[in-house]
Amino acid sequence: MGAAVLSDLVAEVVIPVSAAVGIAFALVQWLLVSKVKLTPEHQAAAAAAESKNGSGDYLIEEEEGLNDHNVVVKCAEIQNAISEGATSFLFTEYQYVGIFMVAFAVLIFLFLGSVEGFSTKSQPCTYSKDKMCKPALANAIFSTLSFLLGAITSVVSGFLGMKIATYANARTTLEARRGVGKAFIAAFRSGAVMGFLLAANGLLVLYIAINLFKLYYGDDWEGLFEAITGYGLGGSSMALFGRVGGGIYTKAADVGADLVGKVERNIPEDDPRNPAVIADNVGDNVGDIAGMGSDLFGSYAESSCAALVVASISSFGVNHDLTGMLYPLLISSMGIIVCLLTTLFATDFFEIKAVKEIEPALKRQLIISTALMTVGIAIVSWLALPSSFTIYNFGVQKTVKNWELFFCVAIGLWAGLVIGFVTEYYTSNAYSPVQDVADSCRTGAATNVIFGLALGYKSVIIPIFAIAVSIFVSFSFAAMYGIAVAALGMLSTIATGLAIDAYGPISDNAGGIAEMAGMSHRIRERTDALDAAGNTTAAIGKGFAIGSAALVSLALFGAFVSRAAISTVDVLTPKVFIGLIVGAMLPYWFSAMTMKSVGSAALKMVEEVRRQFNTIPGLMEGTTKPDYATCVKISTDASIKEMIPPGALVMLTPLIVGTFFGVETLSGVLAGSLVSGVQIAISASNTGGAWDNAKKYIEAGASQHARTLGPKGSDAHKAAVIGDTIGDPLKDTSGPSLNILIKLMAVESLVFAPFFATHGGLLFKIF
């Protein structure tokens, strides 16, 4: 078999050191962003300094004779209002989620403890019957602990992201006065803080948990890594509530603000006269930032757990080869270092001098990180893996070479890039698909909706082929372990992916603050350019999240099938087929719930905004302030109330199916939800993204074609706003939440597999 080049000790040092480097780099980026001060005297000093990017040596504000002092004070006030709104919403959400977390932790303990009747005696191992493993009660206790650990890390990841974004939004606005390049760097650095903190924290907490659990489990690695799967379950269950709750919040506010403000009252986006404007900007932070942070953390935790579970019953686990066992964590460690180098290309090596350079700079991040990571994977595979080893493959051990595993990770990485670029092609207004959607607005909203839906369905084709090829290749090389590490490959550059993703909402907020603070139209043009690029990168981020979710849930599905001792999943047996058809229906049921929630919350918001415009004297003239707090309250109340039913649907389905119908039916449900969920998620996200950018294409009027459709307020523009409004819940609530649905049901089934295998299928036992 041969031994790995890297010793166990070096592997155990490399992982925490890489995580520490990631956290240190995040703090350095944060210090650089914090140099932009939100107090007038500091701004005056900055004005005197020479501007390196964008405009010349003076501020636009001085050129246009606006009072610098007032603008800075206003920006600070608005930022404060957004930050307070976001913090209070998240605290309210986390109180509800905390109750759920404790209740579900008790459920995990009771279900898993009852497998052996809460016995404290050692039991034969699941996969090696000749060896003795720790009792089921230990698995129950440690699974519960790792669930709580994953849940807390997920919540912290989302909260930190939101704090960083609300810290950076006004600073990006102020930097936009010194040129588009300065503003880009402020927004991108802030995104990087979130990306590196999340990647490093996720890795570090998982590594510490493994080492602490090892103190009890000793040589029982099978039991140890089975208990660790709770970490992925905790991460994703919190992400589900964060995504759904945040998504309902942000879209209720957005739809209300757009329909009354832009369509009925003909006032610009983010106009301070619009009562829903603060709620809309708060929403960007709680949905797109906190929700996305928890979501990608969940994907990362689950793909690591899926790989570790399969590795623990392969030669790495059986022979106690720690370096080989930690291969998934070493890949993530390499990812942090690669992303660190990649980030420097955007912030230090290349300067952005014009608006048209923004999107290429972000695309360059994806290409550089993927190219460097391919080399990184090769190095890790050569150093950490023996030349050949065996991988557990449904009851038999399959011999695998180290170069084959390199290809598994690399194909996942490159499939992610393909999905990213296809998503960009279908959602960026630089290409014909979105321009065609914009053109269809000439004949009204109906044709816009038809074109947008068609674009979304069409955009599914290439990503599905990319996922299919990566599944086939990675499974052929290394069975289910291959698929798990392919998912890790796709997520290995998570720090860069999140930096690009968080950059979007930060730029969006920056534009809103510029409008509300009454800054000049030239600054708004710059922040709009940053925002349009951010819209596309957000769509790319969602593409990554959905693609990795498909691979992760398939790997978890494989681990579940092995753990539940199912030899084959036969679609022709009625037990499996009924599961399959019900599973395929679940994403539709879930989407119906989330869409309806946004619709009913938006209805209340529209009525409130109309009421304020009709009853508050001087509001349209700008002489009196609207009542922002009522709109914030409507969004908060609606999202807290409405996030519970979809969350319950996802969390209870595996428990009910596994307990009453057994593991075969549950395997059908998991396969069905995976197959249909991925398609709906991609098409919903891309349709919404395309409608949003079609509207921005008309508003920007950058080409002759766009100018014939505009300006703002024209019939074509109103049709585009309606399309964008329909797309809002698709791209920011239903679409991104679906990838959590497919992962969460799979990881939950895996955690509860011992119970389902022993006591499941009650109905079939009765009849």
Side-chain angles (χ1 to χ4, degrees):
M1 300 285 270
V5 179
L6 206 65
S7 72
D8 287 359
L9 179 67
V10 176
E12 288 207 71
V13 170
V14 165
I15 295 166
V17 166
S18 302
V21 167
I23 292 168
F25 184 72
L27 293 175
V28 169
Q29 297 296 317
W30 180 75
L31 282 172
L32 290 168
V33 173
S34 66
K35 282 184 177 170
V36 182
K37 295 289 185 249
L38 282 178
T39 46
E41 53 273 16
H42 287 290
Q43 279 295 320
E50 184 187 16
S51 170
K52 183 181 171 188
N53 278 17
S55 62
D57 296 345
Y58 46 78
L59 293 178
I60 297 173
E61 299 295 17
E62 290 175 6
E63 177 193 347
E64 301 195 0
L66 278 176
N67 184 336
D68 194 33
H69 179 95
N70 282 352
V71 165
V72 180
V73 172
K74 263 189 183 168
C75 283
E77 280 173 9
I78 297 161
Q79 183 215 28
N80 205 25
I82 294 170
S83 181
E84 278 176 14
T87 308
S88 77
F89 168 72
L90 286 181
F91 273 124
T92 312
E93 181 184 72
Y94 293 155
Q95 282 167 5
Y96 284 86
V97 168
I99 298 164
F100 157 81
M101 194 163 85
V102 173
F104 205 76
V106 172
L107 263 185
I108 293 173
F109 176 72
L110 293 176
F111 271 64
L112 295 182
S114 67
V115 171
E116 296 284 331
F118 296 96
S119 155
T120 52
K121 291 201 292 286
S122 293
Q123 54 179 14
C125 299
T126 312
Y127 299 98
S128 315
K129 297 292 183 195
D130 53 328
K131 290 183 187 163
M132 294 304 281
C133 283
K134 296 286 189 245
L137 188 63
N139 183 33
I141 294 167
F142 283 99
S143 292
T144 307
L145 285 175
S146 58
F147 166 77
L148 292 170
L149 205 57
I152 292 163
T153 313
S154 181
V155 163
V156 169
S157 300
F159 189 75
L160 283 177
M162 181 280 296
K163 275 290 179 203
I164 293 152
T166 52
Y167 182 81
N169 50 17
R171 287 169 167 80
T172 304
T173 310
L174 294 173
E175 285 290 87
R177 301 172 317 163
R178 301 174 63 195
V180 75
K182 294 283 188 202
F184 170 80
I185 286 178
F188 190 80
R189 278 195 203 283
S190 314
V193 178
M194 179 186 175
F196 281 93
L197 272 183
L198 193 138
N201 281 344
L203 177 64
L204 194 59
V205 174
L206 181 59
Y207 175 76
I208 292 168
I210 290 170
N211 279 306
L212 289 177
F213 284 19
K214 214 191 285 173
L215 298 175
Y216 169 78
Y217 276 99
D219 284 346
D220 176 14
W221 285 15
E222 185 186 297
L224 164 65
F225 290 104
E226 190 171 301
I228 284 286
T229 50
Y231 184 68
L233 175 60
S236 257
S237 52
M238 294 305 104
L240 175 71
F241 290 106
R243 252 305 187 201
V244 174
I248 293 167
Y249 185 107
T250 176
K251 291 303 114 181
D254 199 356
V255 170
D258 281 2
L259 280 181
V260 184
K262 287 202 278 199
V263 177
E264 292 179 11
R265 295 281 168 169
N266 220 359
I267 57 175
E269 189 163 0
D270 298 312
D271 191 297
R273 292 171 292 178
N274 193 329
V277 73
I278 293 285
D280 185 7
N281 280 293
V282 169
D284 290 336
N285 294 294
V286 297
D288 296 350
I289 298 266
M292 187 67 179
S294 291
D295 180 3
L296 278 175
F297 164 75
S299 281
Y300 164 73
E302 282 164 339
S303 53
S304 302
C305 291
L308 291 167
V309 166
V310 181
S312 70
I313 50 176
S314 303
S315 63
F316 299 140
V318 176
N319 304 333
H320 293 96
D321 169 10
L322 186 65
T323 308
M325 194 69 222
L326 294 176
Y327 178 71
L329 277 71
L330 289 165
I331 290 284
S332 305
S333 305
M334 177 60 83
I336 290 175
I337 306 302
V338 162
C339 291
L340 194 153
L341 293 172
T342 309
T343 304
L344 297 176
F345 279 93
T347 55
D348 296 82
F349 298 159
F350 292 109
E351 259 181 56
I352 286 186
K353 291 194 173 70
V355 165
K356 64 177 184 292
E357 293 171 17
I358 300 168
E359 218 166 287
L362 292 167
K363 277 164 68 177
R364 218 171 21 237
Q365 285 286 296
L366 286 175
I367 296 166
I368 294 167
S369 63
T370 305
L372 290 176
M373 193 61 207
T374 308
V375 179
I377 296 164
I379 295 167
V380 172
S381 304
W382 175 60
L383 291 176
L385 296 171
S387 55
S388 80
F389 43 90
T390 63
I391 293 293
Y392 183 85
N393 180 23
F394 301 118
V396 294
Q397 293 283 353
K398 175 184 169 74
T399 305
V400 178
K401 303 264 192 300
N402 57 1
W403 60 266
E404 290 177 317
L405 214 49
F406 158 73
F407 274 113
C408 292
V409 186
I411 196 158
L413 178 69
W414 285 91
L417 188 69
V418 168
I419 292 171
F421 278 145
V422 169
T423 308
E424 192 232 4
Y425 174 72
Y426 279 106
T427 57
S428 166
N429 53 27
Y431 303 105
S432 60
V434 171
Q435 291 173 8
D436 290 345
V437 172
D439 190 60
S440 71
C441 294
R442 283 181 300 131
T443 48
T447 41
N448 179 26
V449 170
I450 293 165
F451 269 71
L453 287 172
L455 176 146
Y457 298 146
K458 196 175 173 188
S459 71
V460 173
I461 301 166
I462 298 172
I464 292 296
F465 277 122
I467 293 168
V469 169
S470 52
I471 288 169
F472 182 78
V473 172
S474 50
F475 189 87
S476 304
F477 279 147
M480 277 300 169
Y481 187 69
I483 293 171
V485 291
L488 257 181
M490 204 177 273
L491 290 166
S492 58
T493 52
I494 185 172
T496 296
L498 260 171
I500 291 172
D501 207 45
Y503 153 89
I506 292 169
S507 306
D508 192 355
N509 259 210
I513 292 171
E515 183 77 50
M516 284 186 270
M519 289 173 138
S520 73
H521 71 96
R522 287 177 57 181
I523 290 182
R524 183 70 220 226
E525 277 170 20
R526 288 173 177 185
T527 55
D528 277 354
L530 292 172
D531 183 22
N535 243 350
T536 304
T537 57
I540 292 172
K542 284 170 194 143
F544 264 95
I546 296 162
S548 63
L551 293 176
V552 168
S553 53
L554 184 60
L556 291 164
F557 175 66
F560 162 73
V561 168
S562 302
R563 183 65 188 82
I566 307 170
S567 49
T568 53
V569 178
D570 184 357
V571 180
L572 294 175
T573 55
K575 275 185 190 176
V576 176
F577 192 79
I578 58 167
L580 198 64
I581 201 159
V582 169
M585 172 274 295
L586 286 173
Y588 290 92
W589 189 359
F590 180 83
S591 298
M593 283 178 162
T594 49
M595 295 283 285
K596 180 99 187 297
S597 300
V598 172
S600 53
L603 204 64
K604 289 183 192 137
M605 188 68 78
V606 167
E607 285 167 355
E608 173 58 25
V609 175
R610 277 183 186 152
R611 182 194 69 75
Q612 290 198 28
F613 274 126
N614 293 333
T615 59
I616 299 177
L619 183 55
M620 271 305 280
E621 293 72 36
T623 51
T624 48
K625 268 188 161 183
D627 175 9
Y628 296 127
T630 308
C631 291
V632 170
K633 189 176 184 319
I634 288 173
S635 262
T636 304
D637 293 349
S639 56
I640 297 294
K641 191 176 97 215
E642 302 280 358
M643 75 180 180
I644 295 164
L649 173 73
V650 178
M651 299 299 288
L652 295 178
T653 299
L655 289 180
I656 293 166
V657 174
T659 306
F660 292 107
F661 299 94
V663 285
E664 285 97 344
T665 308
L666 182 53
S667 63
V669 168
L670 295 179
S673 64
L674 165 61
V675 168
S676 84
V678 172
Q679 330 280 340
I680 305 172
I682 296 174
S683 65
S685 292
N686 290 350
T687 293
W691 276 328
D692 194 346
N693 272 346
K695 175 201 73 177
K696 283 194 165 61
Y697 174 75
I698 294 172
E699 286 175 352
S703 66
Q704 185 56 44
H705 174 238
R707 283 192 287 276
T708 60
L709 298 168
K712 285 184 184 180
S714 68
D715 286 346
H717 178 248
K718 282 184 177 172
V721 171
I722 291 168
D724 173 36
T725 312
I726 299 168
D728 275 338
L730 285 172
K731 79 176 190 325
D732 289 323
T733 314
S734 298
S737 306
L738 279 171
N739 63 57
I740 305 176
L741 171 134
I742 56 181
K743 294 180 308 197
L744 186 51
M745 286 187 11
V747 74
E748 191 182 328
S749 303
L750 175 59
V751 170
F752 285 100
F755 175 82
F756 297 149
T758 315
H759 301 300
L762 292 179
L763 283 181
F764 292 130
K765 283 175 184 169
I766 295 166
F767 297 116

